[in-house]
Amino acid sequence: MEEVKVLTFSPPLYKQRYQMIVELVEKCKAQKVADLGCAQCTLLSRLKFCSCIEDLIGVDIDLELLKENMYRLSPLPYAYLHPQPAPLTVRLYQGSIAVKDPRMLDCDFVSCIELIEHLDTADLAKLPEVLFGYMNPAVVVVTTPNADFNPLIPGMGQFRHHDHKFEWSRSEFQAWCLNIGHKYDYSVEFTGVGKGPEGSESLGFCTQIAIFRRVHLRRTKTEMKDSKSPYNLVYEVVYPSLNDRKILHNAVLNEVIFAAECVRRRLTDSETDWQTEWRMWGADSGECAPDGFGQEVSIIGGQLHIPLHAFFTNPRIRQLSGSLQQLQRILQASDRVKLSHTGTSVLYPAGAENSNN
């Protein structure tokens, strides 16, 4: 087993590896990210929440494993309620990392988490040219078991996992990485996760890690665009984003309806914590709280008449709509919100029931 039986890590070792990757991706502000040997898509399911990523790719040789786990990358309901500013496309490919595919070009960040020790001699020999020579991403992170640490694992067999073809010592791993860095023009930083018990510091981390950073780009982005694409596309999903006009307008409408409901509760329900609800939707400063808001509201025929300019004091609504005129146009084009005949006020039911929700 990869996880040690007696030694315990907090957080668990796999979480430490994934957290390190997420932090590096966010620090690099990577837009196109690929995880080679993505297996159960666990890392991808975390990376999809990184706001900087626009293209997220997973590659694995096991087709059935990808099909079993691709649902983990589907958008959650939250993604539709709070769309991302930029589009995010997630793709899963079935294929060998020892084979070149032009769709893997132009990556900003590539991870190989506990992958290389599963490769046979032929594929391991091809990996450097495919990954560093052909793909040539800006940053590559490779993690693998540290064989120097294995004496700390009771009951160890030859390797930590039955599918491992090898497990390298720190000197072996570092020699492999430095040779790649020299050949393909990458700097290399060595680190790790999973500290052993006190007194075992000389053995290093349980998982050893190399962070490669490209020194010079080896090719232009347009090269090899007509090459064959041997990978099999298994899954593709495009997340909702504010770049989609319909989604943007729907987000504006949701914010306006919620703000109107805050005003209704402020005026008719003294027990409602309207300030907390208001702040949950982006109005996080005193100027945005609807104190003065309520003073401008009138109730006519069972409806609240809320001035349009009052909604524009909410920073979220202001950011989404861009201008008061654009906010008015969005509301006029929808049947979810009713405007006054002059188009300067939102009409909202004064009672608890709201037919617009």
Side-chain angles (χ1 to χ4, degrees), residues 25-26 28-32 49-55:
V25 165
E26 291 178 336
C28 298
K29 300 187 185 306
Q31 294 182 328
K32 185 175 182 179
F49 294 105
C50 294
S51 60
C52 59
I53 299 178
E54 296 183 7
D55 289 284

Side-chain angles (χ1 to χ4, degrees), residues 2-72:
E2 183 185 18
E3 296 287 341
V4 294
K5 295 181 179 180
V6 175
L7 290 174
T8 58
F9 299 98
S10 182
L13 198 57
Y14 78 94
K15 288 188 177 181
Q16 292 187 44
R17 290 193 290 259
Y18 294 159
Q19 183 60 31
M20 184 207 66
I21 296 298
V22 169
E23 291 175 359
L24 279 173
V25 165
E26 291 178 336
K27 183 178 180 180
C28 298
K29 300 187 185 306
Q31 294 182 328
K32 185 175 182 179
V33 176
D35 182 34
L36 305 186
C38 61
Q40 290 90 358
C41 304
T42 306
L43 176 58
L44 295 174
S45 69
R46 298 182 179 216
L47 288 172
K48 70 180 184 179
F49 294 105
C50 294
S51 60
C52 59
I53 299 178
E54 296 183 7
D55 289 284
L56 184 59
I57 299 170
V59 180
D60 203 278
I61 195 68
D62 192 330
L63 178 59
E64 292 307 312
L65 192 60
L66 292 176
K67 288 182 176 180
E68 289 173 8
N69 292 279
M70 62 187 188
Y71 73 92
R72 304 179 69 178

Side-chain angles (χ1 to χ4, degrees), residues 248-249 251-260 278 281-283 288 293 306-324 326-328 330-331 346:
L248 172 62
H249 288 188
V252 172
L253 292 169
N254 288 341
E255 298 290 348
V256 166
I257 290 171
F258 186 85
W278 184 265
W281 284 69
C288 306
F293 208 119
I306 309 173
L308 205 58
H309 67 81
F311 288 98
F312 206 65
T313 64
N314 181 299
R316 175 69 173 165
I317 295 175
R318 188 165 61 245
Q319 177 187 28
L320 291 171
S321 57
S323 69
L324 188 59
Q326 178 64 9
L327 174 61
Q328 184 182 53
I330 292 172
L331 299 182
V346 168

Side-chain angles (χ1 to χ4, degrees), residues 162-315:
H162 65 86
D163 188 54
H164 287 184
K165 308 301 188 294
F166 62 88
E167 289 178 4
W168 280 335
S169 66
R170 284 169 295 172
S171 60
E172 290 172 318
F173 180 56
Q174 291 177 15
W176 182 77
C177 294
L178 291 172
N179 181 60
I180 288 173
H182 177 74
K183 183 175 182 179
Y184 297 101
D185 206 12
Y186 278 80
S187 66
V188 190
E189 173 190 350
F190 296 102
T191 182
V193 295
K195 293 182 179 180
E198 186 177 352
S200 65
E201 291 80 6
S202 63
L203 299 178
F205 294 96
C206 186
T207 295
Q208 52 185 334
I209 300 172
I211 303 172
F212 297 82
R213 292 182 174 87
R214 186 181 64 205
V215 178
H216 295 107
L217 183 65
R218 293 172 62 87
R219 64 167 51 79
T220 64
K221 292 187 176 184
T222 57
E223 281 187 55
M224 302 184 181
K225 64 180 179 180
D226 297 324
S227 301
K228 293 181 180 180
S229 301
Y231 288 175
N232 173 36
L233 179 63
V234 177
Y235 178 74
E236 181 176 13
V237 62
V238 179
Y239 273 60
S241 78
L242 298 176
N243 277 19
D244 184 312
R245 183 181 176 186
K246 183 178 180 180
I247 291 174
L248 172 62
H249 288 188
N250 194 56
V252 172
L253 292 169
N254 288 341
E255 298 290 348
V256 166
I257 290 171
F258 186 85
E261 178 62 14
C262 285
V263 175
R264 184 197 69 77
R265 294 189 183 191
R266 172 73 174 93
L267 296 177
T268 63
D269 188 351
S270 61
E271 296 182 0
T272 297
D273 186 3
W274 56 273
Q275 287 280 12
T276 298
E277 294 187 7
W278 184 265
R279 290 191 179 95
M280 285 174 60
W281 284 69
D284 55 1
S285 64
E287 66 171 356
C288 306
D291 281 324
F293 208 119
Q295 296 174 8
E296 300 182 71
V297 176
S298 58
I299 302 178
I300 304 173
Q303 289 186 315
L304 302 178
H305 288 237
I306 309 173
L308 205 58
H309 67 81
F311 288 98
F312 206 65
T313 64
N314 181 299

